[in-house]
Amino acid sequence: MATPERRGLELRNVSKFYGDIAAMDDVSLTVEPGRFLTLLGPSGSGKTTILMSIAGFVQPSRGDILLDGKTITGLPAEKRNFGMVFQGYALFPNMTVGQNIAFPLKVRGLDANMIGSRVTSLLELVRMGHLKARRPNEISGGQQQRVALARALAFQPDLLLLDEPLSALDRKLRAELQWELKSLHERVGTTFIYVTHDQDEALSMSDEIVILRDGKIVQRGAPPDLYNRPASRFVANFLGGSNFLSGRIEEADSREFRYTVNGYPFLQAGPSGDREPAQGVLVAISPEKIAMSNTPPDGETNAIEGRIGSFSYYGDSFHFQVETEPLGRVEVKTPAWRCAVEPVAGNRVWLTWSPDASIPVIDD
């Protein structure tokens, strides 16, 4: 018998209305088999509504959801063969670790030998074999999350849906489990669809990120593409924050354009698109792409003078707020171990950046 063609998950013009409010607004999205896709956005952006619609817990107001080319829009959640991992783990407190993982297999009527073998392999997968007989209240939060992952993968789901599964953990443990989740995805090959509002989680784990705002997709792409080439002010600001330079184009060709901000000239690599001389332009530049020094630069194109207004020390880096005449307050991040200036409020400094370090964005 021929193996059914795997075409992945597809959302076609899917919307969900609560009265006049669109929690999900005409969303179209394709997720290829085996991908790790993250839905990223602030609270109220629609990411959980999309996930719950895929899971079958929310019925869209209009549009269609397909799996491998077949409509599943009206299919009940229990018939979709999707695994689900929640923020609160949802483990059964009266069952052991092994019994929690075995539960979905028993519900599906598998024989005892097959269940035992599957539970053993899953415990090895999440490195929890030595805690098989423990109950959830006898293991840590990170260990509980591993059990929840193993249980969700027990019946070999077509998709694994994860709704902010790390948000209840402390920062160090979140970072450790990010590595583990990424490794787990690579080993099992199941399609992961992950919901978070945490940019670091999204950037560190995903094959692809979908950024949402007010129920709409505003940009999607691989993490480096989104971070280095945001399309709009919202995306640039949401992915870690940016400095924004609002100016006017003076000269432009196919390779670069010059623009001024409050009379100060700057150079931007790349074409100006459909922007013409005398038109306005908004340029974004990430704080870590700005160099800072104690001495005036020699011949730098993009260079301004300023004074340190305030700073914060984060162990591995300094975050500065520098007051400048042409741009106002500029944020700069630099590694602490190679900081080129003395971090003292009021000290005079010079800021420089390469013409290809910044990018024009839409002012939304």
Side-chain angles (χ1 to χ4, degrees):
M1 182 181 294
T3 303
E5 181 186 3
R6 295 189 67 200
R7 294 165 58 181
L9 181 78
E10 185 179 0
L11 278 67
R12 294 181 181 172
N13 307 109
V14 179
S15 297
K16 178 62 180 178
F17 293 93
Y18 295 99
D20 295 331
I21 305 299
M24 180 170 47
D25 192 356
D26 198 33
V27 170
S28 293
L29 177 66
T30 299
V31 186
E32 297 176 0
R35 300 284 281 174
F36 192 131
L37 181 133
T38 295
L39 303 174
L40 175 67
S43 297
S45 61
K47 54 190 184 295
T48 297
T49 302
I50 293 174
L51 193 77
M52 292 302 169
S53 297
I54 294 170
F57 299 129
V58 170
Q59 184 64 27
S61 302
R62 61 171 179 244
D64 210 4
I65 301 174
L66 301 92
L67 181 68
D68 296 332
K70 296 181 179 179
T71 300
I72 61 169
T73 312
L75 197 66
E78 64 271 15
K79 295 185 179 298
R80 296 195 182 195
N81 197 45
F82 295 166
M84 189 90 192
V85 181
F86 297 95
Q87 176 180 334
Y89 319 138
L91 299 177
F92 298 112
N94 59 323
M95 295 184 183
T96 66
V97 165
Q99 290 168 342
N100 264 281
I101 297 172
F103 180 78
L105 302 175
K106 289 184 177 180
V107 169
R108 286 162 174 78
L110 274 67
D111 67 67
N113 289 335
M114 187 174 294
I115 290 174
S117 175
R118 182 69 179 152
V119 169
T120 298
S121 65
L122 285 163
L123 286 168
E124 291 175 359
L125 184 69
V126 297
R127 302 200 305 275
M128 291 287 291
H130 61 298
L131 299 175
K132 179 180 179 179
R134 298 277 185 91
R135 296 188 186 274
N137 66 344
E138 298 173 329
I139 59 177
S140 69
Q143 290 167 338
Q144 289 181 47
Q145 190 57 275
R146 291 194 192 102
V147 176
L149 283 164
R151 186 180 63 183
L153 290 167
F155 54 93
Q156 298 177 313
D158 294 314
L159 301 176
L160 184 62
L161 309 176
L162 304 105
D163 188 15
E164 305 212 39
L166 307 183
S167 61
L169 305 175
D170 64 59
R171 182 179 178 182
K172 184 175 184 297
L173 190 52
R174 281 204 312 271
E176 291 175 1
L177 283 180
Q178 286 169 26
W179 284 105
E180 292 194 20
L181 264 175
K182 186 172 183 178
S183 173
L184 182 65
H185 172 257
E186 291 170 351
R187 282 179 281 156
V188 300
T190 303
T191 304
F192 281 24
I193 301 179
Y194 191 97
V195 160
T196 186
H197 62 272
D198 187 298
Q199 298 88 341
D200 290 340
E201 281 185 17
L203 291 168
S204 66
M205 294 190 295
S206 313
D207 296 321
E208 187 173 14
I209 299 172
V210 174
I211 299 180
L212 295 147
R213 183 185 189 186
D214 298 330
K216 293 179 177 288
I217 295 175
V218 293
Q219 193 173 351
R220 64 178 295 183
D225 294 336
L226 288 180
Y227 190 84
N228 292 308
R229 288 182 288 279
S232 66
R233 178 193 284 265
F234 172 80
V235 173
N237 210 29
F238 190 71
L239 288 177
S242 285
N243 298 290
F244 296 99
L245 287 62
S246 181
R248 190 184 75 161
I249 295 178
E250 303 296 337
E251 302 175 32
D253 59 33
S254 61
R255 296 176 294 107
E256 60 189 25
F257 65 88
R258 296 182 180 275
Y259 63 102
T260 55
V261 180
N262 295 323
Y264 284 74
F266 299 99
L267 179 65
Q268 174 66 47
S272 63
D274 57 0
R275 304 175 184 90
E276 300 290 338
Q279 286 187 335
V281 66
L282 183 68
V283 173
I285 180 166
S286 299
E288 68 273 12
K289 294 182 179 180
I290 300 174
M292 188 163 54
S293 66
N294 287 317
T295 56
D298 184 17
E300 291 283 348
T301 303
N302 297 329
I304 54 174
E305 181 183 347
R307 291 189 179 275
I308 296 174
S310 61
F311 65 91
S312 296
Y313 176 64
Y314 288 86
D316 61 343
S317 63
F318 280 107
H319 295 196
F320 292 92
Q321 291 188 335
V322 180
E323 302 295 338
T324 73
E325 182 179 340
L327 306 180
R329 181 176 297 168
V330 177
E331 293 190 15
V332 180
K333 297 179 184 178
T334 185
W337 70 276
R338 56 179 302 178
C339 185
V341 303
E342 188 176 2
V344 175
N347 275 11
R348 185 167 63 166
V349 294
W350 279 264
L351 309 181
T352 59
W353 63 92
S354 170
D356 61 357
S358 52
I359 185 167
V361 295
I362 298 169
D363 190 359
D364 59 351

